[in-house]
Amino acid sequence: VYTLGVILYEMLTEQLPYDFERATPPEAIRIICEEAPKPPSRMWSELRDRESGKTERSDRDVETIALKALEKEPERRYQSAAALAEDVTRYLTNQPIQARPPSALYQFRKLVARHKAPFAMLAAVFALLLGFAITMTALSARIARERAVELGIGAQRIEERRLVIGAAAHPAVSHPRPLGDSVALAEPIL
């Protein structure tokens, strides 16, 4: 499994996981046994810096698979080539890989990647409903403002009529008016 991890790492980065250019054989063994390989994403950024034309990037899932295959402790590594192949197959079919701890967000992202069309339709329906809700709220507010203006004018007329009726009921307090005028003004209210 470790050798498959080295091959996968080299396929991803076009380099070996460890730098042995200036190392003696005992030093190379020490590096392999003690040092962790650089993550492929870091190797890609270094390669991109050297070759400005390349903009490729490795996926986090592929990087996780390669680094799990290169684990120092055999217990933390894939237990067999079949387990490594299963994770690669899961990656290729947009399913959550076993090498990564399953978070809800990660599993949801993989679900969306597997079912793009239904989720695109769901997002479109949600956007339409949101637009409809915003439009209805704006129209409702406009109608409420128009009614408030109408009621404001109506309330003002009622207040004026109430004052007229109040003046008719208490002629000593208000201006002396003939009773017929006050009753004529009050009739439309009743």
Side-chain angles (χ1 to χ4, degrees), residues 16-48:
L16 290 172
Y18 306 101
D19 186 17
F20 300 126
E21 288 181 15
R22 299 180 196 103
T24 63
E27 181 69 18
I29 292 172
R30 186 198 63 75
I31 290 172
I32 291 172
C33 291
E34 295 176 6
E35 293 182 14
K38 288 182 182 177
S41 58
R42 191 176 327 155
M43 297 299 288
W44 274 111
S45 66
E46 290 174 7
L47 185 65
R48 222 184 350 244

Side-chain angles (χ1 to χ4, degrees), residues 1-189:
V1 174
Y2 188 85
T3 306
L4 291 174
V6 171
I7 293 170
L8 178 59
Y9 190 95
E10 192 173 0
M11 287 173 58
L12 293 173
T13 64
E14 299 175 1
Q15 297 178 13
L16 290 172
Y18 306 101
D19 186 17
F20 300 126
E21 288 181 15
R22 299 180 196 103
T24 63
E27 181 69 18
I29 292 172
R30 186 198 63 75
I31 290 172
I32 291 172
C33 291
E34 295 176 6
E35 293 182 14
K38 288 182 182 177
S41 58
R42 191 176 327 155
M43 297 299 288
W44 274 111
S45 66
E46 290 174 7
L47 185 65
R48 222 184 350 244
D49 291 343
R50 280 187 255 140
E51 301 174 12
S52 61
K54 274 199 173 179
T55 58
E56 296 176 30
R57 171 184 151 318
S58 66
D59 190 322
R60 281 185 62 194
D61 282 346
V62 174
E63 180 176 313
T64 303
I65 291 170
L67 292 177
K68 182 169 177 134
L70 291 172
E71 282 286 346
K72 303 294 178 202
E73 301 170 25
E75 303 84 39
R76 295 186 60 180
R77 211 178 294 150
Y78 287 105
Q79 296 304 306
S80 66
L84 173 63
E86 181 184 348
D87 246 4
V88 170
T89 302
R90 292 178 71 80
Y91 167 74
L92 293 173
T93 57
N94 278 324
Q95 295 179 359
I97 60 171
Q98 300 296 322
R100 180 183 294 245
S103 71
L105 179 62
Y106 171 71
Q107 290 182 347
F108 181 71
R109 276 188 12 242
K110 288 297 184 175
L111 179 69
V112 170
R114 280 194 312 271
H115 305 287
K116 290 178 183 171
F119 277 98
M121 286 178 39
L122 184 64
V125 167
F126 179 75
L128 286 172
L129 286 175
L130 184 64
F132 179 74
I134 290 171
T135 303
M136 289 295 109
T137 302
L139 285 174
S140 175
R142 189 175 114 215
I143 290 170
R145 278 193 311 272
E146 289 174 358
R147 282 187 183 163
V149 168
E150 288 174 6
L151 289 176
I153 293 171
Q156 185 178 14
R157 286 183 188 152
I158 290 172
E159 182 63 26
E160 289 172 358
R161 289 179 183 167
R162 189 183 65 76
L163 289 174
V164 169
I165 292 173
H170 303 290
V173 176
S174 63
H175 304 292
R177 285 189 192 171
L179 187 58
D181 291 342
S182 298
V183 172
L185 291 172
E187 281 179 1
I189 296 174

